[in-house]
């Protein structure tokens, strides 16, 4: 069964958790004990409705404050498809959590409160999904019940987001759906309150999407996770290179180059567990053997010889800063791309980027949750693609060597 990964984005009180809880309730995905707990707690709080946000807010602080703080992954299935929803925080101080949740998603729901319209956080959420090149964006105009399901409120928000997408040069598929997460209008079932709306419900839209792999179809990249050397007489000379194949396909007989050594060989065998295949498609975890006995270790990348990536020791990238300690020129980090780790030094902070698409401004540091253009000098050669070409070899994380914290996420343009 296909699996579709979805991330949510929305400001505090826009109703992200309620929307997800409503989906779970209407698709009968809530367990009896969870539903009883929601009914009991809603009654204790004096609500005259079920508080579906209780289905997703797992932390005590989240339930007490009524906001989402950490990323929560929710799983449910229909007869057609399985879903993983990343419920991400909406407040500006948790932007880094939103980046984390959206980075592995194929689709994103951006919630907009029908009463408030497009606000600063909406720009930020759209910017991040644009930066991460999430393929399918659903703008769910929520709380339509609180504006009497007025079409003009919906159309104003639709026009503003459409203009924003045009200004950003977005090529994403953007769909607008008027919903009431609390009442269930146009979430799973069609609403009688919006006769002017002829589109799909939220779930109908999800069901119609093709759950393609999150990684774009592009050049093939096989980062080696581990080298397999069975200690058995039956496989005495076996030497396989295991990892997940990103971007494209590999075929037995393909001429390949191993990076960083740049040694050449051909694909001899492709294994998936204990079976052999002549072709490996993108997104599959495989184990390959090569015709030559080459020294390959964890962190190396196997690519087709006709599709070599770029190489550099001086890198420019867009950085989403996630650390409480500011990013400053001269600071050293470990740059990790897959399993490959390279020492890096910040050589320049070129600019900080306004997430409302109003432009860039000069900067001397990046603060937590800011996004900027940063230059690095690397201790050894990095082989890379742009993020648009391949999300795996076009992105990286920065690790503070003193704290071991993941301090930032980088996207190579």
């Amino acid at each position: 069964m296909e699996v579709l990964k979805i991330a949510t984005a929305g400001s505090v009180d826009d109703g992200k958790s309620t929307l997800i809880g409503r989906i779970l309730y209407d698709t009968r995905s809530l367990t009896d004990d969870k539903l009883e707990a929601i009914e009991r707690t809603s009654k204790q709080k004096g609500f005259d409705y079920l508080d579906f946000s209780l289905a997703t807010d797992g932390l005590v602080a989240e339930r007490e404050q009524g906001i989402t703080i950490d990323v929560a992954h929710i799983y449910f299935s229909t007869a057609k498809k399985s879903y993983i929803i990343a419920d991400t925080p909406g407040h500006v101080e948790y932007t880094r959590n939103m980046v984390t949740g959206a980075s592995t998603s194929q689709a994103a729901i951006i919630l907009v409160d029908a009463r408030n319209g497009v606000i600063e956080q909406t720009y930020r959420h759209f910017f991040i999904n644009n930066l991460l090149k999430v393929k399918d964006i659903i703008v769910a105009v929520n709380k339509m019940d609180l504006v009497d399901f007025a079409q003009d409120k919906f159309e104003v928000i639709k026009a503003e987001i459409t203009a924003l997408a045009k200004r950003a040069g977005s090529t994403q598929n953007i769909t607008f759906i008027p919903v009431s997460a609390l009442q269930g209008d146009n979430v799973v079932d069609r609403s009688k309150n919006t006769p002017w709306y002829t589109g799909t419900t939220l779930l109908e839209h999800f069901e119609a999407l093709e759950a393609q792999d999150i990684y774009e179809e592009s050049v093939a990249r096989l980062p080696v996770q581990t080298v397999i050397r069975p200690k058995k007489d039956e496989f005495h000379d076996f030497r396989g290179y295991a990892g997940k194949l990103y971007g494209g396909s590999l075929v037995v007989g393909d001429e390949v180059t191993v990076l960083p050594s740049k040694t050449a060989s051909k694909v001899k065998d492709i294994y998936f567990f204990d079976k052999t295949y002549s072709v490996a498609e993108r997104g599959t975890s495989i184990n390959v053997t090569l015709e030559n006995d080459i020294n390959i270790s964890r962190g190396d990348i196997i690519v087709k010889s006709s599709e070599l990536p770029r190489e550099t020791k001086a890198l420019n990238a867009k950085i989403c800063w996630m650390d409480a300690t500011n990013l400053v020129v001269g600071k050293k980090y470990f740059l990790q791309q897959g399993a490959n780790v390279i020492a890096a030094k910040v050589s320049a902070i070129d600019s900080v980027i306004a997430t409302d698409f109003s432009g860039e401004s000069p900067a001397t540091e990046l603060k937590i949750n800011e996004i900027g253009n940063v230059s690095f000098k690397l201790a050894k050669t990095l082989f890379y693609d742009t993020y648009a070409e391949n999300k795996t070899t076009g992105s990286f994380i920065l690790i503070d060597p003193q704290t071991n914290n993941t301090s930032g996420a980088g996207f190579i343009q």
Side-chain angles (χ1 to χ4, degrees), residues 129-328:
N129 278 292
N130 183 261
L131 175 67
L132 296 175
K133 303 193 181 304
V134 177
K135 290 181 181 177
D136 202 275
I137 305 293
I138 302 102
V139 178
V141 181
N142 192 24
K143 303 190 181 183
M144 289 296 297
D145 54 313
L146 298 182
V147 295
D148 296 326
F149 296 96
Q151 183 180 1
D152 60 336
K153 295 280 187 183
F154 174 78
E155 295 296 341
V156 167
I157 293 169
K158 182 178 178 180
E160 288 189 36
I161 297 286
T162 302
L164 177 66
K166 187 176 181 180
R167 193 160 72 241
S170 170
T171 58
Q172 297 155 301
N173 178 37
I174 304 175
T175 305
F176 299 86
I177 302 177
V179 303
S180 168
L182 192 63
Q183 306 296 336
D185 295 87
N186 292 327
V187 178
V188 172
D189 301 314
R190 288 177 179 270
S191 173
K192 296 179 180 177
N193 296 313
T194 54
W196 44 267
Y197 175 71
T198 57
T200 62
T201 68
L202 200 60
L203 185 64
E204 286 173 347
H205 182 81
F206 291 157
E207 296 279 75
L209 287 178
E210 292 185 15
Q212 300 172 355
D213 194 80
I214 58 171
Y215 301 100
E216 301 287 343
E217 186 171 359
S218 60
V219 291
R221 301 290 185 247
L222 178 61
V224 176
Q225 290 290 327
T226 187
V227 179
I228 296 179
R229 296 291 306 273
K231 302 295 183 184
K232 295 181 179 180
D233 290 339
E234 183 183 0
F235 303 102
H236 188 271
D237 295 323
F238 186 93
R239 187 178 177 88
Y241 311 103
K244 188 171 183 177
L245 180 62
Y246 298 97
S249 61
L250 274 183
V251 179
V252 170
D254 273 346
E255 294 184 354
V256 295
T257 298
V258 181
L259 303 171
S261 64
K262 295 186 179 180
T263 48
S265 186
K266 286 186 178 181
V267 176
K268 182 180 179 183
D269 300 293
I270 298 173
Y271 295 90
F272 177 76
F273 190 49
D274 59 349
K275 292 184 172 60
T276 58
Y277 293 85
S278 58
V279 180
E281 299 293 345
R282 62 194 167 104
T284 54
S285 295
I286 56 174
N287 175 26
V288 301
T289 61
L290 303 181
E291 290 189 352
N292 299 1
D293 188 13
I294 299 173
N295 181 23
I296 301 176
S297 54
R298 174 179 163 83
D300 290 356
I301 304 176
I302 298 173
V303 303
K304 291 182 181 178
S305 298
S306 58
E307 300 174 343
L308 294 177
R310 300 175 181 85
E311 55 183 286
T312 186
K313 293 184 74 173
L315 182 69
N316 304 98
K318 280 187 169 58
I319 302 295
C320 177
W321 195 241
M322 303 174 170
D323 202 324
T325 303
N326 295 350
L327 176 75
V328 295

